[in-house]
Amino acid sequence: MSHSKDPSKDTSRAASGLDRGEQHDVTELHAAVLREKPDPVEGFEPVNLWVVAGIAGLLFWGGAYLTQYSGRFEAMEFSEIPHGKPAPVAAVAADPLAAVKREGMLTYNAVCALCHGEDGAGKAGVAPPLAGSDWVNADGPNRLMRIVRHGLKGTVKVNKDVTWNPANDPSIVMGSQWEAIGASNEKLAAVLTYIRSSWGNTGAPVTAPMVADGLAPVKERSGDDNWTQEELLKVPASGAGAPAVAAGPATPEQLKAQFEALPADQRQALLKELSK
Ligand code: HEC
C-alpha cells in the first residue's frame, strides 16, 4: 500500500475548492505582527518631540506675555486702591529731604489718609482738606504739631473757601494722632514735612528739634485735651511755640502773649505759684 500524499501539499485539493482550512497569505500574517508595538524595555527613551516643541512654545508665549503685561513688575501697579509711588531708592539716598518726605508719606498714608484722603482733599463729613489749608501752609509748624499731638475740635476755618464744622458739632473731632504715628518727634516732623510739601502746598520742612522745642511748653497736656481754633490762634505759628524763658528781657506784652498761649491747667498752676 502506498502512503497517501501530505494533504497540504495537495494543490489539487485546494484547487478543487475542497480544502478551506489552511489558505493564509504570508504578507497578511506579517502585517498583523508589524502593527504591534515593541515590548517596553528598561532604560531612557528620547522625549517626544511634540512635548519639547510644546514646552518651548509655552515659554516663548509666557515671555512675550510678561513683556506686554508685566506692569513694570510693581506689585501695586494695578491696585484700585489709590497708592503713593515710593520714591526711587537712588533719589532718596541722594536727597535726605526726599527720605524724610518718603517716611512722612508712609505715616500719612497709614494714619491720616483714612480721614483726610491720600490726595489730601479731605472727605465730606469726615475730615477737612489739607491741600490748600492755611493751617498746613502756615509760616511755621507750631499749630500743626499741636493738632497732631493733641487733636482738634470745633469749628475750623481752613481757608477762605472752607469753613469746617460750622455748626460746631461736638461729635466731629480729630483725636490725638500721637500714638498712631509712633509717638516720636521724628515721625511727627516727617509727616508734617510731607503734608506741607504735597498737593500744591508750600510750607517749609519741619525738623525733629523744631517739634521738640515747639511742644516743650505743652508736654504736660493730655492727649484727650483737643485744641480749639481759638486756642491755637493764640500760639505763634512760627518760632519757639511759647518759650518758657524769653531770649532777652521780655516786654509786658510778650509775657502776656506767652502766658495766654499756655494751656489752661498751666496758667492755673502759674497763677497759684505767683500768688504765694
Ligand atoms: C479720624 C479721622 C482723622 C484722622 C485719622 C486724622 N485727622 Fe486731621 N482732622 C480730622 C477732623 C475731623 C478735623 C477737623 C476737626 C474739627 O472739627 O475741629 C481734622 C483737622 C486737621 C487739621 C486742621 C484743619 C485743616 O484742614 O488743615 C490738620 C492740619 C490735620 N487734621 C492733620 C492731620 C494729620 C497730619 C493726620 C495724621 C497724622 C490727621 N490729621 C489724622 C480728622 C482726622
Side-chain angles (χ1 to χ4, degrees):
M1 286 288 284
S2 67
H3 289 282
S4 61
K5 275 199 221 163
D6 181 352
S8 70
K9 293 195 177 128
D10 187 351
T11 49
S12 64
R13 281 164 63 101
S16 70
L18 290 173
D19 185 349
R20 299 181 194 281
E22 298 293 337
Q23 284 293 303
H24 286 302
D25 189 340
V26 175
T27 48
E28 215 178 288
L29 275 173
H30 282 188
V33 174
L34 286 173
R35 255 202 324 272
E36 296 299 324
K37 300 226 163 64
D39 284 340
V41 289
E42 259 185 276
F44 294 103
E45 294 288 326
V47 176
N48 188 319
L49 272 183
W50 287 114
V51 176
V52 176
I55 290 174
L58 272 177
L59 283 175
F60 180 78
W61 176 81
Y65 185 91
L66 273 185
T67 311
Q68 197 81 20
Y69 304 112
S70 64
R72 292 173 285 136
F73 293 100
E74 274 181 31
M76 294 298 282
E77 182 70 12
F78 301 116
S79 168
E80 288 178 8
I81 304 165
H83 51 279
K85 296 248 182 315
V89 177
V92 167
D95 179 0
L97 189 57
V100 170
K101 283 183 193 167
R102 190 187 132 82
E103 200 203 333
M105 181 193 76
L106 295 177
T107 303
Y108 181 86
N109 287 347
V111 178
C112 326
L114 191 68
C115 297
H116 290 283
E118 292 216 14
D119 56 0
K123 293 183 186 176
V126 179
L130 302 182
S133 156
D134 291 342
W135 298 94
V136 178
N137 289 297
D139 278 355
N142 284 337
R143 295 168 184 162
L144 268 182
M145 62 180 80
R146 282 166 169 70
I147 293 174
V148 176
R149 178 69 182 80
H150 303 108
L152 180 66
K153 65 184 174 194
T155 304
V156 183
K157 190 165 181 301
V158 176
N159 56 40
K160 67 176 171 25
D161 297 321
V162 182
T163 298
W164 174 259
N165 192 5
N168 202 355
D169 179 346
S171 71
I172 299 180
V173 294
M174 169 173 154
S176 164
Q177 304 298 311
W178 180 243
E179 300 297 331
I181 64 168
S184 112
N185 289 348
E186 281 77 16
K187 289 254 160 71
L188 182 42
V191 80
L192 295 186
T193 299
Y194 174 69
I195 65 172
R196 278 161 69 80
S197 61
S198 301
W199 322 300
N201 289 343
T202 53
V206 179
T207 63
M210 281 162 88
V211 173
D213 284 352
L215 289 181
V218 291
K219 60 173 184 289
E220 300 302 323
R221 189 182 175 111
S222 136
D224 303 329
D225 193 358
N226 310 136
W227 295 92
T228 61
Q229 168 173 266
E230 291 65 39
E231 271 185 295
L232 281 180
L233 289 176
K234 289 179 194 145
V235 179
S238 60
V245 186
T251 64
E253 285 77 14
Q254 278 172 340
L255 285 173
K256 186 160 175 277
Q258 284 171 25
F259 176 74
E260 280 170 352
L262 291 173
D265 50 350
Q266 287 190 21
R267 279 203 302 262
Q268 291 297 322
L270 194 57
L271 281 178
K272 234 170 96 188
E273 192 66 28
L274 290 172
S275 63
K276 268 185 198 162

